[in-house]
Amino acid sequence: AQSVAQPEDQVNVAEGNPLTVKCTYSVSGNPYLFWYVQYPNRGLQFLLKYITGDNLVKGSYGFEAEFNKSQTSFHLKKPSALVSDSALYFCAVREPFSGGYNKLIFGAGTRLAVHP
Amino acid sequence: DADVTQTPRNRITKTGKRIMLECSQTKGHDRMYWYRQDPGLGLRLIYYSFDVKDINKGEISDGYSVSRQAQAKFSLSLESAIPNQTALYFCATSDPGQGLFEQYFGPGTRLTVT
């Protein structure tokens, strides 16, 4: 079955330190991968995506993610965390063969807490 | 995203009541989706629509129905609300025909069923 796993419910980081939020996927074919961020009382905001090309993709707010096909991973990273990065982060993969419907499968989410 | 709006933003209702959540978008996208979010479960798809003539059930459609009144409007109804439908509900849109495979989300509706 197609799925996305975010193995950590919560990640704690000190401000200024690098952060990593992990995501692994299980889909057939070539994956289309996405990261979203959700701030309190807000909808999901798109951060970045991998469709094809360079394995390192850059997105909004200084975030980047690395696609690793052999490890079926798409970890979200940032070199220097800010307290304002504290939020809920979701990894998602496009459902293969969903054709024009463009359905996404979401992970359970990882709460990032950046401490001053 | 201000291009996708949802009303109401918060709603408290009683068991057995019928309730409608509305979604409007100005992005001009054909594909629209309804999700619910529960803590620890991520987002689960309730219904999705390719256009006004096409409505499809998602993984958790029982107890819900939808109406696509126009390209820009997609409403979700709970025919007879029950407490385990208490959740955060999101509408989303996408336009893969433009190479934009990401989905764009509204601000959400927090629904409480007592």
Side-chain angles (χ1 to χ4, degrees):
Chain A
Q2 328 290 348
S3 64
V4 175
Q6 294 182 242
E8 302 154 318
D9 291 335
Q10 179 153 333
V11 171
N12 296 294
V13 178
E15 187 174 31
N17 283 1
L19 70 86
T20 299
V21 183
K22 295 180 180 178
C23 173
T24 59
Y25 64 90
S26 175
V27 295
S28 52
N30 294 320
Y32 291 13
L33 295 156
F34 307 85
W35 274 104
Y36 287 84
V37 60
Q38 184 183 22
Y39 298 102
N41 301 315
R42 301 284 296 276
L44 277 70
Q45 297 179 31
F46 169 69
L47 278 178
L48 49 78
K49 65 184 174 186
Y50 172 82
I51 304 298
T52 187
D54 194 347
N55 288 345
L56 184 65
V57 293
K58 296 185 183 296
S60 306
Y61 312 121
F63 284 94
E64 58 189 27
E66 185 168 12
F67 170 63
N68 187 315
K69 188 172 184 177
S70 63
Q71 297 187 3
T72 62
S73 68
F74 189 56
H75 300 333
L76 182 70
K77 300 181 180 183
K78 188 173 183 181
S80 179
L82 300 173
V83 173
S84 58
D85 293 329
S86 298
L88 187 58
Y89 290 81
F90 290 98
C91 181
V93 65
R94 185 174 186 254
E95 186 177 295
F97 316 118
S98 63
Y101 291 113
N102 197 41
K103 295 163 64 180
L104 299 184
I105 302 167
F106 285 85
T110 297
R111 187 162 299 282
L112 174 66
V114 181
H115 304 284
Chain B
D1 190 323
D3 296 336
V4 184
T5 57
Q6 294 183 233
T7 56
R9 293 293 313 277
N10 290 281
R11 180 71 182 266
I12 300 174
T13 192
K14 294 183 183 298
T15 298
K17 294 292 188 181
R18 184 179 189 276
I19 183 169
M20 179 180 288
L21 309 182
E22 299 189 349
C23 175
S24 294
Q25 54 114 344
T26 58
K27 301 185 80 67
H29 293 172
D30 286 325
R31 284 71 161 180
M32 296 188 74
Y33 313 83
W34 274 104
Y35 293 92
R36 66 175 279 173
Q37 180 184 8
D38 299 278
L41 295 178
L43 274 73
R44 292 181 291 167
L45 185 62
I46 306 173
Y47 272 93
Y48 57 104
S49 170
F50 192 107
D51 59 30
V52 294
K53 299 179 182 179
D54 180 83
I55 302 289
N56 303 275
K57 293 182 177 181
E59 62 176 306
I60 54 162
S61 60
D62 287 350
Y64 301 95
S65 63
V66 291
S67 172
R68 185 84 184 264
Q69 301 95 323
Q71 185 207 36
K73 296 183 181 297
F74 193 35
S75 300
L76 176 72
S77 293
L78 286 68
E79 299 302 325
S80 179
I82 56 177
N84 75 0
Q85 291 177 314
T86 292
L88 191 53
Y89 290 84
F90 288 106
C91 174
T93 73
S94 77
D95 192 6
Q98 298 292 328
L100 299 174
F101 296 98
E102 61 269 28
Q103 294 182 5
Y104 295 88
F105 285 79
T109 295
R110 185 169 298 279
L111 177 66
T112 303
V113 183
T114 61

